Amino acid sequence: YNNKAGTQKQSSFIANAWRQESLHLEKPIPIRRSRGAFSHTCHHSMPGGNNQGRYGEAEELFRPFLEVIKSALGEAHPQTLTTMNNLALAVRGQGRYGEAEELFRQYLEATKSALGETHPSTLLYMSNLAAAVQDQGRYGEAEVLFRQLHRQCLEARKSALGEAHPNTLTSTMPG
């Protein structure tokens, strides 16, 4: 997936699958062409993307799209994992924090398995999970998750940059 032609071909395949799948839905799913990555296009063309606040509409679009992308690319593909996270964000944006927490937990485990504990996407999804827990007023549990997140970020920086790198050292400083 690292070459440009492969990415364009993959994006075209997904867009076509999405269009075909939308024919079986009550409401067709709009596709917008863009020069950017397909995930960026999908995220920003959906009503909840780009901070438009239309989370209910975004959820209606993400759910069927997730099924299409799972069947096209598999459950462990980074694009599938991103779509899973976006669905959970749409649910959270509607104030359904318990349901969002369940989705974030499920997707976090899938991301850890597929990408590893210190991958940036894993860390982002862990942050989203902690925020959903915090939204429910479970501050102690959220703090534990945020501390775990901080430790994993620190380990990722140590691994990538070394222990003496300035960015690693500033990560160890309090507050």
Side-chain angles (χ1 to χ4, degrees), residues 21-90:
E21 184 67 19
S22 72
L23 297 175
H24 303 289
L25 301 173
E26 289 180 22
K27 180 163 101 175
I29 298 173
I31 297 289
R32 184 180 75 157
R33 291 251 181 233
S34 167
R35 287 180 287 153
F38 183 71
S39 64
H40 178 81
T41 301
C42 289
H43 176 72
H44 291 288
S45 66
M46 293 204 178
N50 239 1
N51 294 320
Q52 294 177 19
R54 294 163 42 204
Y55 299 109
E57 291 176 57
E59 179 185 4
E60 288 178 21
L61 296 173
F62 277 128
R63 284 199 188 272
F65 178 64
L66 179 58
E67 295 310 311
V68 171
I69 202 165
K70 272 184 186 177
S71 65
L73 300 177
E75 203 156 319
H77 190 277
Q79 181 59 54
T80 304
L81 298 171
T82 298
T83 304
M84 291 174 166
N85 182 67
N86 289 341
L87 171 60
L89 287 170

Side-chain angles (χ1 to χ4, degrees), residues 2-143:
N2 291 334
N3 68 36
K4 187 174 181 178
T7 302
Q8 289 173 339
K9 185 176 182 179
Q10 174 186 345
S11 295
S12 176
F13 172 77
I14 295 168
N16 287 332
W18 194 12
R19 280 192 203 102
Q20 289 173 3
E21 184 67 19
S22 72
L23 297 175
H24 303 289
L25 301 173
E26 289 180 22
K27 180 163 101 175
I29 298 173
I31 297 289
R32 184 180 75 157
R33 291 251 181 233
S34 167
R35 287 180 287 153
F38 183 71
S39 64
H40 178 81
T41 301
C42 289
H43 176 72
H44 291 288
S45 66
M46 293 204 178
N50 239 1
N51 294 320
Q52 294 177 19
R54 294 163 42 204
Y55 299 109
E57 291 176 57
E59 179 185 4
E60 288 178 21
L61 296 173
F62 277 128
R63 284 199 188 272
F65 178 64
L66 179 58
E67 295 310 311
V68 171
I69 202 165
K70 272 184 186 177
S71 65
L73 300 177
E75 203 156 319
H77 190 277
Q79 181 59 54
T80 304
L81 298 171
T82 298
T83 304
M84 291 174 166
N85 182 67
N86 289 341
L87 171 60
L89 287 170
V91 169
R92 180 176 173 234
Q94 296 173 72
R96 297 179 3 232
Y97 305 125
E99 184 181 345
E101 176 189 354
E102 290 176 31
L103 292 171
F104 283 130
R105 284 189 190 280
Q106 177 186 348
Y107 305 154
L108 177 61
E109 289 309 310
T111 304
K112 282 181 183 178
S113 296
L115 303 176
E117 296 267 338
T118 58
H119 188 278
S121 292
T122 303
L123 300 174
L124 172 66
Y125 302 165
M126 182 182 287
S127 175
N128 290 342
L129 169 61
V133 169
Q134 181 178 319
D135 289 338
Q136 296 174 73
R138 297 182 359 236
Y139 302 112
E141 187 180 343
E143 181 180 0

